[in-house]
Amino acid sequence: MLSLTAVLVAVVCVLIVWIFKPADRSLQKKEREPEARPWVDEDLKDSTDLHQVQEDVDEWPESEEDVEHILFSHTRYPEKEMAKRSQEFYELLNKRRSVRFISNEQVPMEVINNVIKAAGTAPSGAHTEPWTFVVVKDPDTKHKIREIIEKEEEINYMKRMGQRWVTDLKKLRTNWVKEYLDTAPVLILIFKQVHGFTASGKKKVHYYNEISVSIACGILLAALQNAGLVTVTTTPLNCGPPLRMLLGRPPHEKLLMLLPVGYPSKEATVPDLKRKALDQIMVTV
C-alpha cells in the first residue's frame, strides 16, 4: 500500500511540473522580449521586393531593346566654375528648412507645374517612373485631408508612435494639429505605384518603386527651395487608404509623402538646428 502511494505521489509531481513548465518558459520569454517597436503604416512599408508582383511569363510585354540610343549631350564647366556652381547650390539648399507656418498667399500654378516636372526627371528602376503627384488646391478638399490626418495623428501620438518617438519630436514643437493643411495654398501628395500595367492590362513590376519615388521627392524638395517656396515633409501614418479614397486614386498607389507648399507666414519660426559637418557624413576611401 505504501509503495502504491509513493508511485501516485511521484506521478502527481511529474504532472505538476509538466503543467507549469510551459507557463514558466512563456514568462521567461516575455521577460526577454525587447521593448515593442513603434507601429508601422502598411502604406509606408518598403515594397521594393523584385518579386512583389507575380507576372505570367507568357504575358510579359515585348522587350524594349529596340529603343533608339542617341548621343549624350553634356555641358562641361571649367573647374573654377564647377566649384562656384556647386558651392552656390549647396548654400541654396543649406537654407532649406522644414516650415510649419505657411501663408495662404496663392502660388503661381506654372511654378508648381515646373517643380513637379523637375521631380519627374528622377531616375527609376527600369525607367518605370512609378510616381503620381496629386496637387490639391480646393479649400474643401484640403480641409477634408486635414480632418483625416488630425484624427489619425492624435492616435499616432497617443498610441502608435511610442514614447521615445514622441519625446524626440518635442524639440520641434510639433503635434497632431496641422493648421498648415488648411492655410497652405497647395498640397502635393506623392504616391508610389507599387506596380503598373501592361498594354494588355496585366500587372507589371515597378522595380525599386520606394527608392525611385523617394529620389523624386528629394528632387522636388530641391526644386521648391530653388523656386523660393517652403514646405515640411510629412508622412501621415495610417492615412493612406482614406486619402486614396478621397482623391480617387487606385489601390496600387500608396501614399509616400505629403508636402504643404507655399510662402512662409510673416510670423514663421523654425528650431535652431545644426547640420552635421562634412567629416561626419562623408568617408573617402
Side-chain angles (χ1 to χ4, degrees), residues 140-146 148 240-249:
D140 291 338
T141 305
K142 287 193 298 177
H143 189 68
K144 288 176 183 177
I145 290 172
R146 179 180 178 180
I148 290 170
L243 290 177
R244 188 162 58 240
M245 289 182 63
L246 174 66
L247 300 172
R249 304 313 306 160

Side-chain angles (χ1 to χ4, degrees), residues 21-269:
K21 193 68 175 174
D24 181 53
R25 279 198 300 268
S26 175
L27 224 95
Q28 290 175 356
K29 186 179 178 183
K30 282 185 179 179
E31 288 173 357
R32 290 195 302 268
E33 282 179 356
E35 182 183 347
R37 292 183 177 182
W39 180 88
V40 177
D41 185 354
E42 288 296 323
D43 272 18
L44 294 176
K45 282 186 178 179
D46 189 1
S47 56
T48 56
D49 184 357
L50 296 184
H51 304 291
Q52 62 186 303
V53 181
Q54 296 297 323
E55 293 180 311
D56 185 339
V57 176
D58 295 331
E59 296 295 334
W60 282 357
E62 291 183 4
S63 171
E64 295 182 335
E65 290 179 358
D66 59 345
V67 171
E68 183 184 3
H69 283 221
I70 59 176
L71 190 64
F72 177 58
S73 176
H74 174 64
T75 302
R76 179 166 176 168
Y77 303 104
E79 288 189 6
K80 284 186 178 180
E81 187 174 353
M82 288 171 63
K84 179 174 177 289
R85 291 170 66 95
S86 61
Q87 178 65 24
E88 289 175 348
F89 188 68
Y90 159 69
E91 290 174 359
L92 172 68
L93 292 191
N94 195 38
K95 293 176 183 176
R96 188 205 58 77
R97 299 302 303 271
S98 294
V99 179
R100 293 173 172 82
F101 304 96
I102 300 177
S103 164
N104 61 5
E105 183 181 353
Q106 293 300 304
V107 172
M109 196 59 200
E110 181 183 4
V111 175
I112 300 301
N113 292 343
N114 287 337
V115 296
I116 290 180
K117 284 192 293 184
T121 67
S124 59
H127 194 58
T128 51
E129 301 176 295
W131 40 67
T132 300
F133 301 90
V134 178
V135 176
V136 179
K137 298 182 68 179
D138 176 64
D140 291 338
T141 305
K142 287 193 298 177
H143 189 68
K144 288 176 183 177
I145 290 172
R146 179 180 178 180
E147 289 178 330
I148 290 170
I149 289 177
E150 287 188 342
K151 178 183 175 183
E152 291 296 333
E153 282 285 79
E154 183 173 5
I155 300 172
N156 293 335
Y157 273 81
M158 301 301 293
K159 296 180 180 179
R160 297 180 182 130
M161 290 164 59
Q163 190 57 44
R164 180 175 295 179
W165 191 349
V166 173
T167 301
D168 286 343
L169 288 174
K170 280 185 178 179
K171 63 179 178 286
L172 304 180
R173 301 179 188 174
T174 180
N175 55 36
W176 58 81
V177 179
K178 312 293 183 185
E179 185 179 353
Y180 52 71
L181 294 174
D182 269 326
T183 60
V186 172
L187 303 181
I188 303 177
L189 292 88
I190 302 100
F191 290 83
K192 62 179 181 182
Q193 301 168 6
V194 296
H195 64 78
F197 294 95
T198 65
S200 62
K202 296 292 182 180
K203 289 182 180 180
K204 176 183 177 182
V205 176
H206 275 176
Y207 306 97
Y208 302 110
N209 58 78
E210 179 99 3
I211 297 172
S212 301
V213 181
S214 297
I215 295 171
C217 288
I219 294 176
L220 179 56
L221 291 174
L224 288 168
Q225 177 69 10
N226 183 61
L229 298 173
V230 299
T231 187
V232 55
T233 54
T234 68
T235 52
L237 298 177
N238 208 42
C239 298
L243 290 177
R244 188 162 58 240
M245 289 182 63
L246 174 66
L247 300 172
R249 304 313 306 160
H252 70 285
E253 292 187 3
K254 309 294 183 184
L255 180 65
L256 185 70
M257 190 177 294
L258 185 155
L259 300 177
V261 174
Y263 302 105
S265 62
K266 291 181 180 179
E267 69 279 6
T269 61

Side-chain angles (χ1 to χ4, degrees), residues 14-27:
V14 169
L15 285 172
I16 290 172
V17 171
W18 182 78
I19 289 168
F20 286 100
K21 193 68 175 174
D24 181 53
R25 279 198 300 268
S26 175
L27 224 95

